[in-house]
Amino acid sequence: MDSSVHQFPPSRPSDVHHAHEGHDDHGPHEHHEPNFWQKYIFSSDHKIIGIQYGFTALCFLWLGLMLMLLMRWQIAHPGKPVPFFGPILAKVLGQAAAGGVVSPDLYNSFGAMHGTIMVFLGIVPLAFAAFGNYVVPLMIGAPDMAFPRVNMASYQAYFLGSLIMFVSFFIPGGAAQAGWTSYSPLATSIPTHGQLFWLIGMVLLITSSLLGAVNFIATIIQLRAPGMTWMRLPFFVWAQFVTAFLLLLAFPPLEAASLMQLMDNVAHTSFFLPTGLAVGGNLAHISGGGSPLLWQHLFWFLGHPEVYVLILPAMGIVCEIIANNTRKPIWGYKSLVYAVLTIGFLSFIVWAHHMYMTGMGTKISTFFQATTMIISIPSVIILTCLFISLWGGSIRFNTPMLFALAFLPMFGIGGLTGLPLGFNLSDVHLHDTYYIIAHFHYVVAPGTIFGLFAGLYYWFPKMTGRKMNEFWGRVHFVCSLIFMNLVFMPMFAQGMAGMLRRMSDGGANYSAAVNSRAGADVIGGLSNDMMSLHIWILWAAIALGIAQIPFIINFFWSIKHGEKVGDNPWNSTTLEWQTPTPPPHGNFEHVPHVHRGPYEYSVPGNATDFTPQNEPESPSAPKVVVAPAH
């Protein structure tokens, strides 16, 4: 065999006890009290599983934030040791962080894992699984999820996948380095085990989401309380219902793709590896015939619905909070429902607007440009309904409402700045620049995460029986809003100036500012002003991290010492507030019967400004239909 041909991929350095049901036959101990492991670790109660998801996801969101801070330090100060944490990095991660410096390889690992952790280990489990598990059965009047043990298995698969992802930081060669998109053939040619851990972790995470999606769909269809017709569902339940379908239909292609890429790594197949591939100047010894573009299609077929998996639960949370704190019905309830259903359908036919740079023809690009513009319409309808709902409301500016109000313009900025990326002409110039980072993060950071913070402050009293401290909640909100914008807003300018992302030195090697000082004759490049923004972004990111400390302290302090509240501290109409606090096993003392829509606030003639869904019709009350049943 010719010596230029080498082995590919390159050689790499080389009983669960389930909780017992109360009705199981255990002889004389049939009604024994479950122990700690049965009640909190291997529980099949949807509320405990929701809390498990939430706590785990918040931990990974914090880890993702720490990775971002380390990356921003390296970008702002290339080659300089990380202060304070540098020696710890060197000790834990070894040669990749020698001298406390984030090496380019380590930067690539941090970049890949930051995206993976934030999306798949943080926001999706918190938005869909944590809030969905805890709140949806309560909102529809169900005693639990349709398949409680499948629900438990879903969390266990998520936790195991998360653990594998986390452990990959400490193996020889470090974690995955091919970006959160894991493009082939790069993902198969990096000689470390990190990518294998990433793929195995993804398979487990996807399996977890599929189990959860089936469970949510079955629960919402089958376990609604008597009288809970489709058009009496709270909008949050609709958002979770559509999100479950997105996960159920979009994740299987990526799971299949992950298994195929895993085979490319360990069994030397060529699903995504083309003929004639050269690595390090040598011809790769592979059968060839695979298509790297196939991986992109399979990834982005999930990747774009995934954006709505992130944002729809946040929209549902914001809708609930705005209705409650304006003390009036949501404007255009039916329009909201039809819009979210339309988003669910259209999100499956826009994926290739992420792939304009792959050389697609004008007819195909025109199709995806058109569908991308069309899908913005239902998003605008949802925002419009929420904005109009504020008009004439008796608004209560508590912490959940502040985060919900901030969500609206932040998501608006994220959506509007995405329109130029939907057009082939402008995307050619903006693709892979900092503009992409700014756009996407406005959707999921001050957008989705603000919605999730709103939900945490709003439903915390139902979970614990206590409110979080209002003053520190406002401090958390104001600081987060200011510094979130200071982090991401400058990136729009950097991207339009041509600054590429994924460069560990922040573009210094391509910068007119650096090279002109070295005496080089530079044409174009990045100016001093653009490069200096890295320093400002670093300090804003550090301040943003510090701004989360009041939330963390407030969260844990309030569990034991927060202000005690009753069953319905917000005077809300939906069913989750009509249960004891915290809800017992089975949720409701009696099967609730639903008599009206979800947002009957300030109904003329009523004694109070809110009418719970399970309150029977009064013969003398005027007939006011807010959300008629179908």
Side-chain angles (χ1 to χ4, degrees):
M1 184 182 293
D2 184 69
S3 60
S4 66
V5 178
H6 72 285
Q7 184 64 40
F8 189 88
S11 60
R12 295 174 169 83
S14 343
D15 269 332
V16 178
H17 296 287
H18 296 286
H20 299 297
E21 296 288 350
H23 57 267
D24 287 348
D25 184 13
H26 297 296
H29 303 290
E30 182 177 354
H31 302 291
H32 74 280
E33 185 70 21
N35 60 35
F36 175 84
W37 287 87
Q38 293 169 324
K39 189 172 183 179
Y40 295 108
I41 306 302
F42 297 110
S43 173
S44 58
D45 187 328
H46 73 96
K47 299 179 291 296
I48 298 297
I49 293 171
I51 291 171
Q52 289 173 328
Y53 264 115
F55 184 76
T56 310
L58 286 171
C59 290
F60 278 109
L61 284 175
W62 180 254
L63 175 61
L65 177 64
M66 293 299 103
L67 294 179
M68 183 268 281
L69 292 177
L70 292 171
M71 292 163 64
R72 293 311 313 183
W73 171 267
Q74 166 63 17
I75 290 170
H77 303 287
K80 293 186 178 179
V82 179
F84 306 115
F85 299 103
I88 300 174
L89 281 177
K91 188 172 183 179
V92 172
L93 301 178
Q95 187 60 35
V101 176
V102 177
S103 66
D105 282 346
L106 188 57
Y107 177 89
N108 288 338
S109 285
F110 285 173
M113 297 307 292
H114 166 77
T116 303
I117 287 170
M118 284 299 208
V119 173
F120 296 109
L121 278 66
I123 298 176
V124 172
L126 182 59
F128 176 69
F131 283 114
N133 262 297
Y134 199 98
V135 177
V136 166
L138 297 173
M139 275 190 163
I140 66 175
D144 205 318
M145 297 289 279
F147 308 113
R149 289 188 178 274
V150 171
N151 205 20
M152 178 175 65
S154 173
Y155 173 74
Q156 290 169 348
Y158 160 68
F159 184 77
L160 184 58
S162 303
L163 199 61
I164 289 171
M165 290 279 192
F166 179 71
V167 167
S168 68
F169 280 107
F170 309 104
I171 64 173
Q177 298 177 21
W180 79 284
T181 55
S182 189
Y183 278 178
S184 285
L186 175 64
T188 312
S189 62
I190 298 175
T192 70
H193 285 300
Q195 205 64 32
L196 300 180
F197 277 64
W198 188 92
L199 290 166
I200 294 169
M202 282 302 299
V203 169
L204 287 165
L205 294 171
I206 293 170
T207 301
S208 166
S209 293
L210 293 177
L211 293 174
V214 171
N215 215 347
F216 273 87
I217 293 169
T219 301
I220 294 171
I221 291 176
Q222 295 290 345
L223 297 188
R224 286 172 287 133
M228 180 63 82
T229 59
W230 286 102
M231 284 299 164
R232 285 176 174 172
L233 288 175
F235 181 66
F236 178 73
V237 178
W238 275 110
Q240 293 284 46
F241 188 61
V242 174
T243 301
F245 270 106
L246 296 182
L247 290 171
L248 184 65
L249 299 176
F251 253 140
L254 183 60
E255 182 153 31
S258 298
L259 291 171
M260 287 191 283
Q261 192 178 92
L262 189 63
M263 295 301 291
D264 282 359
N265 272 273
V266 300
H268 304 158
T269 57
S270 295
F271 289 108
F272 306 119
L273 303 176
T275 302
L277 177 66
V279 177
N282 297 317
L283 188 64
H285 187 198
I286 56 173
S287 58
S291 171
L293 282 185
L294 176 60
W295 168 269
Q296 290 196 34
H297 281 291
L298 293 172
F299 181 88
W300 288 117
F301 189 76
L302 160 84
H304 200 82
E306 183 75 9
V307 174
Y308 295 101
V309 169
L310 302 175
I311 201 68
L312 290 182
M315 286 179 170
I317 292 168
V318 168
C319 182
E320 301 301 317
I321 293 171
I322 286 178
N324 179 259
N325 287 295
T326 56
R327 314 308 294 166
K328 62 195 287 285
I330 283 291
W331 189 89
Y333 170 84
K334 284 187 179 180
S335 299
L336 286 171
V337 172
Y338 298 145
V340 77
L341 291 171
T342 304
I343 285 176
F345 171 74
L346 290 175
S347 65
F348 287 101
I349 53 174
V350 297
W351 78 90
H353 69 213
H354 296 273
M355 299 172 59
Y356 288 140
M357 301 294 283
T358 60
M360 70 173 64
T362 54
K363 290 182 180 179
I364 295 297
S365 64
T366 301
F367 170 81
F368 285 107
Q369 286 174 163
T371 55
T372 301
M373 294 305 110
I374 292 170
I375 200 174
S376 66
I377 296 172
S379 298
V380 172
I381 289 173
I382 291 175
L383 280 185
T384 302
C385 290
L386 296 177
F387 272 118
I388 294 177
S389 297
L390 300 173
W391 183 264
S394 180
I395 301 177
R396 304 186 303 197
F397 291 100
N398 47 41
T399 304
M401 188 61 169
L402 292 174
F403 275 106
L405 290 174
F407 168 89
L408 301 177
M410 295 298 99
F411 175 70
I413 292 172
L416 287 173
T417 54
L419 294 179
L421 302 174
F423 289 106
N424 194 358
L425 178 65
S426 47
D427 183 68
V428 167
H429 300 280
L430 295 172
H431 191 83
D432 247 356
T433 68
Y434 268 63
Y435 185 96
I436 298 277
I437 297 178
H439 152 68
F440 181 68
H441 283 79
Y442 259 98
V443 173
V444 299
T448 297
I449 292 179
F450 272 19
L452 300 183
F453 276 136
L456 284 168
Y457 283 100
Y458 182 63
W459 280 303
F460 186 88
K462 177 52 62 177
M463 300 179 187
T464 64
R466 298 175 184 268
K467 274 187 179 179
M468 293 177 72
N469 183 276
E470 189 68 19
F471 171 77
W472 289 111
R474 291 169 184 263
V475 169
H476 175 220
F477 165 75
V478 172
C479 294
S480 295
L481 180 64
I482 292 171
F483 296 123
M484 196 83 80
N485 281 279
L486 289 178
V487 168
F488 298 115
M489 189 64 76
M491 295 183 187
F492 286 121
Q494 290 179 315
M496 288 186 282
M499 184 175 290
L500 297 176
R501 58 177 176 167
R502 298 198 182 100
M503 292 193 292
S504 63
D505 61 1
N509 283 335
Y510 296 91
S511 153
V514 172
N515 291 304
S516 60
R517 286 198 296 269
D521 185 14
V522 177
I523 299 175
L526 300 167
S527 67
N528 279 310
D529 292 336
M530 289 298 110
M531 293 300 295
S532 66
L533 287 175
H534 285 317
I535 307 294
W536 292 103
I537 292 173
L538 168 65
W539 287 110
I542 293 172
L544 177 64
I546 295 172
Q548 307 316 303
I549 295 176
F551 165 74
I552 296 171
I553 296 174
N554 192 2
F555 183 88
F556 287 104
W557 184 86
S558 298
I559 290 174
K560 291 290 186 185
H561 306 289
E563 174 193 347
K564 287 186 177 181
V565 296
D567 293 340
N568 192 0
W570 306 113
N571 291 334
S572 182
T573 59
T574 46
L575 289 183
E576 79 271 25
W577 299 104
Q578 316 313 319
T579 66
T581 300
H585 187 71
N587 297 337
F588 295 90
E589 295 176 346
H590 307 285
V591 176
H593 286 70
V594 177
H595 301 279
R596 54 181 47 81
Y599 306 120
E600 291 206 7
Y601 290 100
S602 304
V603 175
N606 279 18
T608 61
D609 69 343
F610 69 103
T611 310
Q613 284 188 279
N614 61 335
E615 184 175 305
E617 296 282 356
S618 172
S620 59
K623 294 290 183 181
V624 179
V625 180
V626 178
H630 282 178

